[in-house]
Amino acid sequence: MSAKAEMPANRHLSLPDNRVIAYSLDDSPEGGPVVLLSNPLCTNIAVWDHIVPVLNHAGFRTLRYDQPGHGDSSAPADLTTTTFDTMVTDVAYMLDALEISKLWAWVGVSMGAAKGIFFATAHPGVVRKLIICDTITCSPVNAGVEDPFGPRVASARREGGMKGNANATLQRWFGDAWLEDHPKEAERMRKIVLRTSLDGMETCCDALASETFDLRPLLRKVGGAVEEAVCVVGEKDANLPQTMEDMRGKIEEGFREAGKAGKVELVVVPNAGHVCFVDGLEEFVKLIPKYLQAEVK
């Protein structure tokens, strides 16, 4: 049976403000600890389809969900109200509704990684292991650099769709050479990006561009919130290898301050870009079960 055929159907949960959050929770392996997979911008649940069977085989159930306005999740009526704090509240509500009090791990990429840091530090003890992949540390306004998000939204609005943005996004993430060499996977990713609504792109880009997005005050708090943390980055992801090395150092300082022994590791995925579990799939599926396994039988 193909990996796609094994994927459980998406489910839908009504949030208190009448928005819908779409999610997928594996039924098997029965009793397996839950690993939450948190998506990058402009993707949906399907982006993890190659990863889920690997984690299932290693003994884990996965919980995936769509960001606001992505996939089958609805965007808010006011597109300026979404922040990382409000998105964390959505996830906390979903976990409560599903009666999941503990996550074996949170594996997040890009926006999904940043959200993992917000969630873990807001809800200490809920996430056991935090795996943070390919994320910036703060919004452009906080970093003092030009905002890339607003122009992307404006371009998509002018076009009236995601086609042009999808092409540009895939080029940034993977580069033309990889896209040409992997046409089947490139097309799968293009279809995933195209399912993002314009409202979804705008509301999440607004959160990423907001002054409220700043991981730097939270990094040292990670050590007091989780038992283990690992940073992962694609080798070819612009300047993020250095950014995430700096982030790793701050997180490790927080672990020492919390009286926890052990080193926070930075893993560089060779030849991978921003969504390192796609173009770096072979290496990613080796390292993730390794860092998740611990005493799970």
Side-chain angles (χ1 to χ4, degrees), residues 75-297:
D78 184 345
L79 303 182
T80 67
T81 59
T82 297
T83 65
F84 278 87
D85 287 330
T86 66
M87 290 189 286
V88 160
T89 299
D90 292 347
V91 174
Y93 185 89
M94 175 179 67
L95 293 178
D96 186 60
L98 296 175
E99 299 182 342
I100 298 173
S101 59
K102 297 280 187 180
L103 292 170
W104 184 266
W106 180 300
V107 181
V109 176
S110 192
M111 185 175 77
K115 192 189 292 189
I117 293 173
F118 271 89
F119 182 92
T121 54
H123 300 275
V126 174
V127 177
R128 180 171 184 169
K129 300 166 185 274
L130 182 61
I131 299 183
I132 310 156
C133 309
D134 298 89
T135 184
I136 57 177
T137 56
C138 62
S139 64
V141 67
N142 288 326
V145 298
E146 187 176 352
D147 173 27
F149 301 111
R152 292 174 195 168
V153 172
S155 175
R157 288 290 187 190
R158 285 194 300 271
E159 181 188 0
M162 290 291 292
K163 184 177 180 180
N165 195 273
N167 293 335
T169 295
L170 295 181
Q171 287 172 335
R172 282 195 308 274
W173 287 354
F174 306 118
D176 289 332
W178 186 89
L179 294 171
E180 291 172 7
D181 290 343
H182 300 82
K184 185 176 179 180
E185 186 66 359
E187 183 58 23
R188 184 182 82 93
M189 290 301 300
R190 182 172 285 105
K191 289 178 179 177
I192 285 172
V193 174
L194 287 172
R195 282 209 62 209
T196 307
S197 71
L198 291 179
D199 284 353
M201 182 186 181
E202 182 170 342
T203 193
C204 288
C205 280
D206 191 72
L208 285 160
S210 169
E211 289 185 357
T212 63
F213 171 40
D214 197 342
L215 298 178
R216 294 169 298 183
L218 303 178
L219 295 176
R220 282 192 173 89
K221 297 180 181 180
V222 170
V226 305
E227 294 183 23
E228 299 177 38
V230 180
C231 295
V232 180
V233 67
E235 179 185 21
K236 296 181 177 180
D237 193 2
N239 65 341
L240 279 189
Q242 182 57 56
T243 298
M244 293 204 65
E245 168 57 26
D246 296 341
M247 185 184 302
R248 182 211 64 78
K250 293 289 190 293
I251 293 172
E252 187 172 88
E253 288 175 17
F255 270 83
R256 288 198 297 269
E257 291 168 2
K260 296 178 181 178
K263 184 175 178 62
V264 176
E265 189 171 349
L266 174 67
V267 180
V268 179
V269 181
N271 299 312
H274 188 59
V275 186
C276 61
F277 64 93
V278 174
D279 52 352
L281 176 65
E282 184 176 346
E283 185 68 21
F284 195 87
V285 297
K286 292 176 183 175
L287 71 90
I288 288 299
K290 169 188 171 184
Y291 286 112
L292 294 183
Q293 198 70 5
E295 67 269 26
V296 173
K297 305 300 182 185

